[in-house]
Amino acid sequence: GAGVSQSPSNKVTEKGKDVELRCDPISGHTALYWYRQSLGQGLEFLIYFQGNSAPDKSGLPSDRFSAERTGGSVSTLTIQRTQQEDSAVYLCASSLLWTGGNNEQFFGPGTRLTVL
Amino acid sequence: TQLLEQSPQFLSIQEGENLTVYCNSSSVFSSLQWYRQEPGEGPVLLVTVVTGGEVKKLKRLTFQFGDARKDSSLHITAAQPGDTGLYLCGGSQGNLIFGKGTKLSVKP
């Protein structure tokens, strides 16, 4: 596709419910990242996928958060038993390859999650 | 834990003024990127700097990477309302570490 897409753009849920957020990376990009951004703040790294390697889950804030990437393309971030502090914008990014140097990432528009 | 600190956190200026935003760390990065984010959108890459001491210009924006590759600055000349947004720096050392950003408002 032309860019990274995310769905839904907005999600309102009740505390305790599970949510799934989807990311479609740029075609051919081997690396995919999830970040969380609280209102007007910087980006908090959550998880990173590169090819068929085991994902880097070091940023996941609790075991209620998980993510998978199927077929090396689409990724789903799942938050179980949502809490109000989970409310944020969840951003997905992809990059062409993991160079360890010029890690230029292309971001989607994000999913705004509101937990009531 | 690596930390990237950006300053100032907020900046409100009049159209036509110049400004500089700073990104500092105690860690060395193999590269550093600047992004601009508008409300409701994802960050958009402006530039990547790789070499210590490197200077890159993008129209009215000048980016500099410190000699030791620990810090960077973004200078905007003659700011315009269209420059308004959240400016984020991200340092690469394996993963990409982001600062909290500088929220710039340029008033006409």
Side-chain angles (χ1 to χ4, degrees):
Chain A
V4 178
S5 61
Q6 292 186 245
S7 61
S9 55
N10 282 284
K11 177 71 177 179
V12 180
T13 190
E14 294 179 348
K15 177 181 173 180
K17 295 272 181 77
D18 298 351
V19 294
E20 285 190 353
L21 312 180
R22 176 187 168 107
C23 172
D24 284 86
I26 293 173
S27 177
H29 279 194
T30 57
L32 186 148
Y33 314 80
W34 283 99
Y35 296 90
R36 179 168 68 175
Q37 185 175 36
S38 299
L39 186 62
Q41 296 299 307
L43 305 182
E44 176 189 3
F45 166 75
L46 296 177
I47 188 170
Y48 152 72
F49 297 89
Q50 166 60 15
N52 295 321
S53 301
D56 176 355
K57 304 179 182 180
S58 60
L60 294 179
S62 78
D63 59 9
R64 295 186 295 105
F65 288 73
S66 63
E68 62 177 20
R69 189 179 185 192
T70 54
S73 180
V74 172
S75 178
T76 302
L77 176 69
T78 300
I79 308 173
Q80 295 178 311
R81 305 181 302 282
T82 52
Q83 303 294 312
Q84 288 183 332
E85 59 263 29
D86 298 335
S87 296
V89 175
Y90 289 81
L91 288 160
C92 174
S94 69
S95 65
L96 183 58
L97 62 90
W98 180 250
T99 65
N102 297 356
N103 188 8
E104 301 181 356
Q105 300 184 14
F106 297 84
F107 285 83
T111 293
R112 181 175 296 279
L113 175 65
T114 303
V115 182
L116 302 177
Chain B
T1 302
Q2 300 166 10
L3 196 62
L4 263 178
E5 298 198 359
Q6 286 189 243
S7 61
Q9 189 176 356
F10 299 96
L11 190 54
S12 181
I13 61 173
Q14 293 295 129
E15 181 176 2
E17 292 183 10
N18 302 332
L19 66 114
T20 302
V21 174
Y22 300 93
C23 178
N24 295 295
S25 176
S26 58
S27 298
V28 175
F29 295 103
S30 55
S31 68
L32 192 140
Q33 294 155 20
W34 285 93
Y35 293 80
R36 185 166 75 96
Q37 184 180 22
E38 298 189 34
E41 304 288 332
V44 175
L45 180 67
L46 296 174
V47 78
T48 300
V49 286
V50 179
T51 306
E54 182 177 5
V55 177
K56 281 192 174 178
K57 293 192 174 184
L58 186 65
K59 296 183 180 178
R60 294 175 294 101
L61 278 60
T62 302
F63 304 85
Q64 186 164 8
F65 202 12
D67 291 342
R69 291 185 289 136
K70 293 182 179 181
D71 54 84
S72 181
S73 64
L74 158 60
H75 182 79
I76 301 179
T77 303
Q80 299 178 359
D83 296 328
T84 294
L86 179 69
Y87 289 80
L88 294 158
C89 66
S92 180
Q93 192 180 20
N95 207 342
L96 200 62
I97 308 298
F98 282 94
K100 291 188 175 181
T102 293
K103 193 168 185 179
L104 172 64
S105 174
V106 182
K107 302 184 187 306

